Amino acid sequence: RLVVVGSLNMDLSVTVPRLPAPGETVSGADVIRGAGGKGANQAVAAARLGARVRMVGLLGDDAFGSELRSCLATEGVDDRAVAELPGAASGLALIVVQHDGENTITLSPGANHHLDTATLATLTDGLLAAPTDTVLLQLEVPLPTVLAAARTARAAGALTVLNAAPRPEPGPLLAELLREVDVLVVNETEATGLLGIQHRPGADTGLETWAERAEQLRALGPATVVITLGALGALAAGPLHRHHQPGFPVHAVDTVGAGDAFCAQLSIALGAGVALPQALRRACAAGARAATRVGAQSSLPTRAEVDALLAA
Ligand code: ADP
């Protein structure tokens, strides 16, 4: 079983001819509403990929909250450890997209920011995970809660996976968290952020440099480090394996959701005892498949779709 502790958001997205300047009003297309939040996205991704999934998190007691809960239920995610916080608003992302893809996002974390360690313990009755479980974490809920979840999971004997996204600020709590997780998954920006290196987007960094960075990240605690490289696939460093998996050649239209599908698939495979190179290959297939469709949760592939890409 996979246990995801993390965020749930409603994403409201409007496409406009050009992004409004401060003080300006711009009319756009009809609003597109979609369930989001890295936690919920990864939980739904895992369910579509065939895993038994339990989500732990907080919603507001508003209409978006009920809608987000029914999205989880529809996907077959166990939502018994998801609660509505009285008086709180659900997490919300206001996304404005220019026709060329340039966008601005305003995030209101809402109830997600109220997921403290006491609430985590209450929601899970003090039983976050069993020894055979895998616990998947991201950084859209308070850091002390993520740390508590990692500690509880490890103490229970579960495999702990951290997707250190969005890019975190380095600090003592984060350093502690890295010592409490078994597997760390990061993209290029997050990897350099954790190492305190300047990342120039679009910089032509070679695979050898990424491999060195993966080793530097391993020195911070996680036995296994995976760096995702977009169309170039992903690179993994573990106690037994150093491996680069090239990206699957797909017609990518929107990479939103690719990272979430990747994290879910990697966690499921490693949790099932699949060796790192094979788990990485499956995860890259899941990420690539998600990149071929528009949207966050709407783009997440099923197990059959990943199998088909692997067999192609
Ligand atoms: P993030 O969106 O978190 O920055 P990436 O862009 O690195 O993450 O994507 C996650 C994974 O999804 C990659 O490791 C890769 O396997 C797959 N992926 C993403 N974009 C593409 C693409 N254009 N072609 C093939 N695979 C892709």
Side-chain angles (χ1 to χ4, degrees):
R1 187 183 62 159
L2 185 74
V3 180
V4 179
V5 180
S7 59
L8 304 104
N9 289 332
M10 183 59 82
D11 292 347
L12 297 181
S13 175
V14 178
T15 300
V16 292
R18 58 189 171 78
L19 299 176
E24 193 187 6
T25 301
V26 172
S27 288
D30 287 355
V31 66
I32 295 172
R33 192 156 87 233
K38 289 183 196 297
N41 289 350
Q42 293 180 15
V44 167
R48 284 203 198 150
L49 292 166
R52 212 150 61 81
V53 189
R54 176 193 205 191
M55 172 93 206
V56 184
L58 279 182
L59 296 165
D61 65 350
D62 50 13
F64 287 152
S66 353
E67 202 174 324
L68 291 171
R69 181 185 289 284
S70 59
C71 287
L72 288 181
T74 307
E75 298 287 345
V77 174
D78 174 354
D79 66 349
R80 284 172 295 180
V82 174
E84 283 82 8
L85 184 66
S90 293
L92 180 71
L94 297 173
I95 306 165
V96 182
V97 188
Q98 197 166 275
H99 54 82
D100 63 357
E102 188 76 55
N103 66 53
T104 68
I105 301 176
T106 304
L107 184 70
S108 170
N112 295 304
H113 262 198
H114 296 288
L115 184 66
D116 55 24
T117 53
T119 308
L120 175 71
T122 310
L123 288 175
T124 57
D125 278 332
L127 279 171
L128 177 65
T132 50
D133 289 342
T134 299
V135 176
L136 174 57
L137 307 162
Q138 317 78 24
L139 299 177
E140 284 187 338
V141 296
L143 199 47
T145 306
V146 182
L147 180 59
R151 284 206 173 116
T152 312
R154 183 170 268 184
L159 180 75
T160 55
V161 181
L162 171 67
N163 174 214
R167 178 185 169 140
E169 288 303 319
L173 221 51
L174 185 69
E176 233 173 297
L177 175 60
L178 291 175
R179 289 194 291 271
E180 296 289 343
V181 297
D182 301 312
V183 183
L184 172 69
V185 185
V186 283
N187 66 15
E188 293 152 297
T189 315
E190 292 142 9
T192 48
L194 285 176
L195 293 170
I197 306 169
Q198 277 284 22
H199 178 62
R200 288 170 295 122
D204 190 15
T205 309
L207 279 179
E208 271 172 40
T209 304
W210 288 117
E212 280 165 28
R213 289 176 181 170
E215 289 303 335
Q216 289 163 2
L217 288 168
R218 286 187 74 220
L220 301 179
T224 301
V225 169
V226 174
I227 304 180
T228 64
L229 305 168
L232 295 182
L235 189 142
L240 302 175
H241 303 274
R242 310 269 175 282
H243 188 70
H244 170 241
Q245 169 66 48
F248 283 77
V250 292
H251 178 63
V253 294
D254 173 19
T255 60
V256 174
D260 293 327
F262 182 98
C263 289
Q265 180 62 84
L266 186 80
S267 302
I268 295 169
L270 293 178
V274 174
L276 189 55
Q278 285 73 40
L280 198 67
R281 182 160 183 271
R282 241 194 122 74
C284 280
R289 195 65 184 77
T292 63
R293 279 192 297 244
V294 177
Q297 291 187 10
S298 52
S299 75
L300 299 170
T302 62
R303 181 179 178 154
E305 287 170 333
V306 173
D307 285 338
L309 186 55
L310 285 167

